[in-house]
Amino acid sequence: DLAVTRLKGLKLIVWATLLFWTWQIGFNWFIRDTLGLPELEAAISASAHGTDYSTALRWAILSVGFIGQIIIFGAYIHLFVAIIRMLGFNVPRGMAKPLASRTMSEFWSRYLFYFKEILADFFFFPTFQRYFKKHPRLRMAFATFMAAFVGNILFDFISNSPSFAINGFLATAIGFQSYTIYAAALTAGLIWAQLYQTPPRPENGWFRYDVLPRVQVILFYCLLQVFDDSSGDIPVDERITYFLSLFGVQA
C-alpha cells in the first residue's frame, strides 16, 4: 500500500511538472509575450480607461485566463497532494478533471475538492442537519447558501486579514464588493443545479450528454471569473462594465 501510494505521488509530481511547463511556455511565453494577449485583470482595467477591445478579443482574454487559472492551480494542488502521498498518506486529489463536469455542483467538487470539503463540514452539514427539516428544498437551498456564500466569503475574509492592518477594515470590506457578487452568483448557480437541473443521461444522446452540459458549466464558471477578486484593486463598476461588454452591451 505504501509503494502504491508513493507511486501515485510520483505520477502527480510528473503531471504537476507538465502543467508548470504548459503554464510557463504556453501562457507566459507564447500567449502573453508572443501574442501579447493581456491578463484578464489588466484587460478590465485597460478597457475601463479607454482601450477598445473587440467582443471576440474580450471573450478570448476571458477564456484563456480561465484555462490558465485551472492549469496553474492544478499544478500547485497536484504538487501539494504529491508531497503528502510521498510521505505515505493516500489522500484524495485536490483537482480531478474539472472540465469534464456535467453539472455546476460537480465542477465545484472536481475543481476545489478540499475547499469544498471545508465548507461542507463547517457550514453545509451543520446547517442541513439543524434547519428547515420539514422543507426539503428550502433546507438544501439554505445549507448551500451558508456554505457557498457565507462560508465562502468568511473564509476569504479571514484569509485577507493582514489587509485589515494595512488598508483598514472599511477599505478591506469595500474591496469585497466584487467577491460578494461572485459568491452570490455561484450560490444561485449551485442551488439551481441541486434543485432544478436534471442530470444528463447517456440516453439523451451524445450532444446533450457529453457536449451541451459541459459547455454550460464551463461558460458559467468562466463568466464568474470576472468577479472572482477580493483585493478591490479594480472597482466593481469596471468589472460589471466588462461583463456586460462580453454580450455587446456598452454601459
Side-chain angles (χ1 to χ4, degrees), residues 29 56 61 170 207:
W29 176 73
I61 294 171
L170 182 59
F207 181 77

Side-chain angles (χ1 to χ4, degrees), residues 69-70 73-74 77 94-96 98 106-113:
Q69 184 181 33
I70 292 178
F73 182 77
I77 193 63
M95 179 187 294
E106 182 184 359
F107 182 94
W108 183 250
S109 298
R110 287 176 173 268
Y111 178 53
L112 297 169
F113 174 76

Side-chain angles (χ1 to χ4, degrees), residues 2 4-5 10 15 29 36 56-57 61 80 99 111 113 142 152 164 174 187 234 246-247:
L2 179 60
V4 171
T5 299
L10 182 60
W15 181 227
W29 176 73
L57 184 57
I61 294 171
F80 177 75
L99 298 181
Y111 178 53
F113 174 76
F142 186 62
N152 194 359
F164 298 153
I174 293 175
T187 302
I234 299 177
L246 293 171
F247 303 95

Side-chain angles (χ1 to χ4, degrees), residues 161-172:
S161 56
S163 64
F164 298 153
I166 299 174
N167 302 320
F169 182 84
L170 182 59
T172 302

